[in-house]
């Protein structure tokens, strides 16, 4: 009684589950997989033996869970290539993907006009994350939405966790362009993001020199996407395009995007 009261009093904002009878290992395994507890109190000790000998090895081998959020068409394209790369490295990975381009409003007035819709979208996204309970939350660009989700995820899942590498992480793939505008977002990135993966090589040095913040450059997916597009496109199509613009086949073409 006193130990249970202490647990519930000190774990503010956490969810506590009390089992008042000894379940079978099968039932326990299912419960642990669904709840994924960070703290386990066992009375009597037989439950600890069941957990350590039969259940913990199984849980340690479970597949990694990823939850990926994108909001724009470009982010969707990059996210899909990222999912393919994750599956190539870890075929057993469980990936949940949340993509709502209709919520990607730009500008103060546009956001204000659609605020109820955006807030409802955030609510639905948080619910989906709670159901998935991911090991990695991966944010793809879309900073106005994603940084708010990162703050909530950190408060809900990361801060209560006290098991080091077992804690869930927030990964930002294609971070906000704070070197161009809204530089104040660095405070949110520092506080709520565990790892930043950049597609622009100069950002590594910029973040390090200006803020002492480590960023990893992982290559630019646009180059891969162009390569795939060219490989899937016929040479006849390119020749017809050049001919329509009066460009010779041997001339170099530079795209300014």
């Amino acid at each position: 009684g006193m130990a249970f009261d202490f647990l519930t009093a000190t774990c503010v904002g956490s969810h506590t589950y009390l089992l008042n009878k000894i379940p079978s290992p099968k039932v326990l395994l299912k419960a642990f997989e669904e709840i994924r507890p960070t703290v386990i109190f066992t009375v009597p000790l037989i439950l600890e033996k069941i957990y350590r000998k039969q259940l913990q090895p199984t849980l340690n081998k479970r597949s990694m869970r990823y939850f990926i959020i994108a909001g724009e068409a470009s982010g969707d394209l990059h996210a899909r290539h990222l999912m393919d790369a994750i599956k190539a490295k870890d075929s057993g990975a469980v990936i949940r993907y949340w993509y709502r381009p209709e919520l990607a409003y730009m500008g103060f007035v546009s956001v204000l006009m659609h605020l109820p819709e955006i807030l409802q979208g955030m609510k639905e996204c948080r619910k989906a994350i709670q159901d998935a309970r991911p090991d990695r939350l991966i944010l793809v660009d879309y900073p106005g939405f994603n940084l708010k989700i990162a703050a909530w995820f950190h408060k809900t899942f990361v801060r209560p966790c006290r098991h080091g590498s077992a804690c869930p992480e927030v990964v930002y793939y294609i971070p906000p362009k704070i070197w161009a505008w809204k530089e104040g977002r660095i405070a949110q990135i520092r506080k709520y993001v565990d790892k930043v993966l950049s597609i622009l090589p100069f950002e590594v040095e910029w973040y390090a020199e200006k803020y002492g913040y480590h960023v990893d450059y992982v290559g630019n997916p646009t180059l891969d996407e162009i390569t795939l597009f060219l490989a899937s496109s016929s040479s006849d199509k390119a020749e017809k395009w050049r001919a329509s613009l009066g460009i010779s086949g041997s001339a170099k073409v530079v795209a300014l995007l």
Side-chain angles (χ1 to χ4, degrees):
M2 289 181 64
F4 184 76
D5 291 340
F6 175 78
L7 171 66
T8 55
T10 54
C11 297
V12 178
S14 67
H15 297 281
T16 306
Y17 300 85
L18 178 62
L19 302 179
N20 53 19
K21 65 178 181 178
I22 302 177
S24 68
K26 184 177 180 181
V27 172
L28 264 182
L29 176 59
K30 184 178 180 181
F32 284 139
E33 285 180 334
E34 292 178 354
I35 300 171
R36 296 177 61 205
T38 55
V39 178
I40 299 174
F41 280 75
T42 60
V43 181
L45 290 179
I46 187 172
L47 289 184
E48 182 178 353
K49 293 180 180 180
I50 292 175
Y51 176 75
R52 293 192 182 281
K53 290 185 178 181
Q54 300 184 41
L55 303 178
Q56 194 173 45
T58 303
L59 292 176
N60 289 341
K61 294 179 181 179
R62 70 165 178 78
S63 301
M64 286 287 291
R65 298 175 181 175
Y66 299 87
F67 196 101
I68 302 176
I69 303 174
E72 301 97 352
S74 60
D76 174 52
L77 181 62
H78 298 328
R80 292 182 185 279
H81 288 308
L82 177 62
M83 287 186 275
D84 291 340
I86 291 173
K87 281 292 188 180
K89 292 284 186 179
D90 181 8
S91 60
V94 178
I95 301 176
R96 292 282 301 275
Y97 183 42
W98 201 87
Y99 174 52
R100 293 282 297 275
E102 65 273 18
L103 299 179
Y105 295 105
M106 301 290 290
F108 176 78
V109 175
S110 180
V111 170
L112 190 62
M113 290 176 60
H114 297 89
L115 189 58
E117 183 182 350
I118 295 172
L119 294 177
Q120 178 62 29
M122 285 187 175
K123 181 179 179 180
E124 293 172 2
C125 184
R126 290 194 295 265
K127 176 62 167 59
I129 293 172
Q130 285 180 318
D131 292 342
R133 301 186 68 83
D135 302 294
R136 299 289 184 275
L137 174 67
I138 303 179
L139 313 172
V140 184
D141 204 357
Y142 199 28
F145 187 95
N146 276 337
L147 284 174
K148 291 180 177 60
I149 292 295
W152 167 82
F153 184 84
H154 191 275
K155 178 181 178 181
T156 306
F157 294 101
V158 180
R159 193 185 301 170
C161 180
R162 304 189 181 193
H163 291 280
S165 60
C167 294
E169 291 184 347
V170 178
V171 179
Y172 215 125
Y173 178 52
I174 312 179
K177 309 300 186 289
I178 61 173
W179 40 264
W181 75 313
K182 292 193 176 182
E183 196 169 331
R185 282 174 168 168
I186 184 62
Q188 294 170 284
I189 294 173
R190 279 184 184 278
K191 190 172 183 179
Y192 304 125
V193 178
D194 299 290
K195 184 177 295 184
V196 172
L197 306 179
S198 171
I199 64 171
L200 301 174
F202 78 86
E203 287 188 335
V204 175
E205 185 177 352
W206 188 87
Y207 272 91
E209 289 186 353
K210 191 149 190 177
Y211 294 107
Y213 189 89
H214 178 75
V215 169
D216 291 304
Y217 172 65
V218 294
N220 196 308
T222 303
L223 299 177
D224 297 329
E225 289 152 11
I226 291 175
T227 300
L228 290 172
F229 174 78
L230 293 176
S232 62
S233 300
S234 64
S235 58
D236 291 342
K237 187 175 181 179
E239 291 173 1
K240 289 178 181 178
W241 178 82
R242 284 174 173 266
S244 67
L245 298 175
I247 302 174
S248 66
S250 59
K252 288 187 176 180
V253 178
V254 178
L256 181 61
L257 309 177

